[in-house]
Amino acid sequence: MTSINTQYLYMHRISLITFGLWPYHRTMFVKLQSFLFSLLTISIIIFQLTTFLTTECTINFIIKVFSRTLFLLLCVIQYSSFWINRHVMKRLLENLQYICSKLNDENEIAIIKKCGQSAKYVLAMGSVSISISALPLLRISFLTNKSKLHLKMLIMTEYFVDQEKNMYFILLHLYSAVCIAVATLVGTAILMTGYFIHFCGLFDIASYRLEQAMRINSNYEITNRRNKNKIYKKISHAVDIHRTAIEFVEFFRYNFKVAFSFILAIMVICLSLNMFQ
């Protein structure tokens, strides 16, 4: 028996631990960390909505505010859904590890390793995206007055303080919230992609096992009970892993369907508002 460690899924652990979404070791510090991240993102949404109290509401102004606010709301829902369903991610990971540890065919092991490599490439691209989203934090101290005015027009906020004197604190709060939101959105998307790549790998293994059974059928005449039993056994194994992969997908879909329904609706509205501008 060969033990396969789904190491490439664990590569996501660092990013998820950073944002308090790793399903293991839920300490008080992790809970506090998650609360602060959620509070930071929600607060920037509130400070965008407070602009309605001090600014004349026009159609263009409403569209501009909500086109930014809805994106951050989407990230909050995504973050909350993974926080609430952390037991789902934990169970999927453990079951996937168990199934991979039971593989002993070299070709089946190669399929899982190929899936791991694909997940690794997705992680690399996502890490680049997160790094790019964090770059504005390094530019705060180099902003000119013209840049500050541009940012103020790009994302409308109202803190009820002198924004000229507190510009750097406002930008730090704004950029931190946006960076956390984008990193959470990309990180959770990468994790989901990694899971589904491995689910597809299980379907590939089922297809491979069925092909092996059919190859026995074509190469040998089924004239004795031994050959028949061998074919039936391979078909049974193919059906088992195919059913397991379907159960994984259905289990994931059942637990995330409500959150993803809201995310899809908000995404459509957000894209429509941005295209309308």
Side-chain angles (χ1 to χ4, degrees), residues 121-138:
Y121 295 144
V122 173
L123 175 62
M125 291 186 292
S127 300
V128 172
S129 300
I130 294 175
S131 300
I132 293 175
S133 69
L135 288 178
L137 286 172
L138 304 177

Side-chain angles (χ1 to χ4, degrees), residues 85-93 251-252 255-256:
N85 293 299
R86 56 191 181 275
H87 65 284
V88 176
M89 311 309 295
K90 181 178 179 180
R91 179 177 172 182
L92 287 174
L93 181 59
F251 180 67
F252 184 92
N255 287 278
F256 282 91

Side-chain angles (χ1 to χ4, degrees), residues 3-272:
S3 177
I4 303 298
N5 184 6
T6 52
Q7 54 181 320
Y8 301 110
L9 286 178
Y10 276 115
M11 293 178 65
H12 303 283
R13 179 177 60 182
I14 297 176
S15 60
L16 294 180
I17 287 177
T18 303
F19 298 101
L21 290 176
W22 184 244
Y24 297 90
H25 308 299
R26 312 298 296 186
T27 62
M28 185 60 66
F29 174 77
V30 173
K31 294 179 181 179
L32 178 62
Q33 180 186 23
S34 300
F35 173 76
L36 292 177
F37 284 159
S38 300
L39 181 63
L40 184 62
T41 309
I42 293 173
S43 64
I44 198 65
I45 295 176
I46 294 174
F47 287 129
Q48 287 186 78
L49 295 178
T50 52
T51 55
F52 290 114
L53 301 177
T54 59
T55 307
E56 181 182 358
C57 294
T58 62
I59 297 298
N60 290 334
F61 177 76
I62 294 174
I63 292 175
K64 185 173 184 178
V65 172
F66 276 105
S67 63
R68 275 69 171 177
T69 303
L70 288 176
F71 171 75
L72 293 173
L73 180 61
L74 183 151
C75 297
V76 171
I77 295 176
Q78 181 91 327
Y79 186 94
S80 301
S81 65
F82 273 80
W83 170 262
I84 295 172
N85 293 299
R86 56 191 181 275
H87 65 284
V88 176
M89 311 309 295
K90 181 178 179 180
R91 179 177 172 182
L92 287 174
L93 181 59
E94 291 175 349
N95 289 343
L96 184 59
Q97 280 187 293
Y98 175 77
I99 291 174
C100 291
S101 67
K102 296 297 183 181
L103 300 178
N104 49 26
D105 185 279
E106 292 184 358
N107 292 322
E108 295 177 0
I109 294 173
I111 290 173
I112 289 297
K113 287 185 176 181
K114 184 178 179 180
C115 293
Q117 289 291 343
S118 299
K120 184 179 179 180
Y121 295 144
V122 173
L123 175 62
M125 291 186 292
S127 300
V128 172
S129 300
I130 294 175
S131 300
I132 293 175
S133 69
L135 288 178
L137 286 172
L138 304 177
R139 297 175 58 246
I140 292 179
S141 59
F142 301 101
L143 291 175
T144 62
N145 291 331
K146 185 177 180 180
S147 300
K148 295 175 184 178
L149 179 61
H150 174 71
L151 286 169
K152 185 176 179 181
M153 295 175 61
L154 183 62
I155 301 180
M156 306 293 293
T157 56
E158 179 56 67
Y159 289 84
F160 301 105
V161 296
D162 190 335
Q163 295 198 14
E164 293 296 330
K165 292 182 179 180
N166 300 279
M167 179 59 70
Y168 289 105
F169 294 104
I170 292 174
L171 291 179
L172 179 61
H173 175 252
L174 178 62
Y175 275 141
S176 298
V178 172
C179 181
I180 289 174
V182 173
T184 301
L185 188 65
V186 175
T188 52
I190 292 173
L191 181 63
M192 287 189 295
T193 304
Y195 275 118
F196 278 95
I197 287 175
H198 282 79
F199 295 162
C200 291
L202 296 182
F203 286 118
D204 287 340
I205 291 175
S207 177
Y208 166 77
R209 289 179 177 179
L210 194 59
E211 288 177 0
Q212 292 299 107
M214 294 300 100
R215 185 171 299 175
I216 295 175
N217 188 10
S218 61
N219 292 341
Y220 301 97
E221 294 183 0
I222 308 178
T223 57
N224 56 63
R225 185 179 299 274
R226 182 179 179 183
N227 285 341
K228 287 183 179 180
N229 290 339
K230 191 174 182 180
I231 293 174
Y232 293 157
K233 185 176 181 180
K234 285 187 175 294
I235 293 176
S236 176
H237 289 169
V239 172
D240 285 342
I241 199 166
H242 185 272
R243 182 178 63 248
T244 300
I246 292 178
E247 289 175 352
F248 283 169
V249 175
E250 289 297 320
F251 180 67
F252 184 92
R253 185 187 64 83
Y254 175 79
N255 287 278
F256 282 91
K257 62 182 179 181
V258 175
F260 284 176
S261 297
F262 282 107
I263 289 174
L264 183 60
I266 293 173
M267 189 179 299
V268 171
I269 297 173
C270 186
L271 289 174
S272 300

